[in-house]
């Protein structure tokens, strides 16, 4: 099949597939006239790369998964190298989450300080999720 058909089957652009080729992740057969020819195995590789990338694994880091298929694995994550890449990605995400949590906590502290800089109270009366969902009521307690 040609690159357009592969792109349609894998729901990617031909440009993305050429990028995968440039990275050495897929290698089509080349005809004497220069046309690339792809097979069903390439469709699977491209779909796997796309799926892993959606999980947060950079395209460049999918090689252990593809190598697992190349060595006979039924699934891309049947090999120890694939599992190690999962763990590496999880560790990176955990570090990002920790950094974002620290930033959020610092911003929350600064918000509280700024909101009560000239007052006597140090806590804000934050609405709870349940009270924030209640419709506003009038002075007489009726819902508007």
């Amino acid at each position: 099949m040609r690159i357009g058909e592969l792109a349609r089957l894998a729901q990617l652009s031909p440009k993305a597939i050429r990028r995968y080729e440039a990275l050495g992740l897929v290698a089509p057969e080349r005809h004497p006239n220069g046309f690339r020819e792809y097979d069903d195995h390439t469709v699977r590789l491209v779909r796997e790369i796309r799926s892993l990338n959606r999980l947060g694994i950079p395209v460049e880091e999918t090689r252990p998964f593809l190598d697992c298929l190349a060595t006979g694995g039924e699934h891309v994550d049947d090999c120890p190298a694939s599992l190690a890449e999962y763990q590496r990605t999880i560790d990176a995400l955990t570090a990002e989450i920790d950094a974002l949590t620290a930033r959020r906590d610092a911003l929350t502290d600064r918000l509280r300080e700024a909101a009560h800089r000239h007052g006597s109270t140090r806590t804000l009366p934050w609405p709870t999720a349940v009270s924030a969902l209640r419709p506003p009521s009038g002075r007489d307690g009726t819902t508007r």
Side-chain angles (χ1 to χ4, degrees):
M1 75 185 78
R2 304 272 191 239
I3 195 167
E5 178 71 5
L6 172 61
R8 185 184 66 74
L9 290 172
Q11 299 178 341
L12 282 171
S13 69
K15 183 177 180 179
I17 294 166
R18 284 195 283 291
R19 178 170 178 243
Y20 297 172
E21 286 179 39
L23 292 169
L25 299 173
V26 295
E29 182 181 323
R30 288 283 191 158
H31 292 281
N33 63 5
F35 283 115
R36 298 172 178 97
E37 186 71 29
Y38 301 92
D39 57 15
D40 291 335
H41 179 70
T42 307
V43 174
R44 179 167 184 204
L45 292 178
V46 170
R47 285 179 175 164
E48 294 289 359
I49 294 167
R50 183 173 184 240
S51 175
L52 291 164
N53 186 246
R54 284 185 171 172
L55 288 172
I57 298 172
V59 170
E60 298 82 2
E61 304 299 323
T62 59
R63 187 171 310 281
F65 299 95
L66 304 180
D67 289 347
C68 191
L69 287 178
T71 59
E74 185 178 339
H75 303 281
V76 293
D77 51 10
D78 281 343
C79 302
S82 301
L83 301 179
E85 186 59 34
Y86 277 153
Q87 188 61 56
R88 189 202 62 75
T89 303
I90 290 167
D91 292 345
L93 285 171
T94 300
E96 286 180 45
I97 291 167
D98 291 347
L100 287 171
T101 300
R103 284 178 52 200
R104 182 196 60 207
D105 292 348
L107 283 167
T108 300
D109 290 345
R110 290 194 63 168
L111 172 63
R112 284 191 179 114
E113 288 174 21
H116 294 289
R117 187 169 289 133
H118 302 291
S120 61
T121 180
R122 298 300 293 167
T123 60
L124 289 176
W126 296 106
T128 64
V130 174
S131 67
L133 295 175
R134 290 189 195 123
S137 60
R139 288 181 189 241
D140 60 356
T142 61
T143 303
R144 294 187 219 179

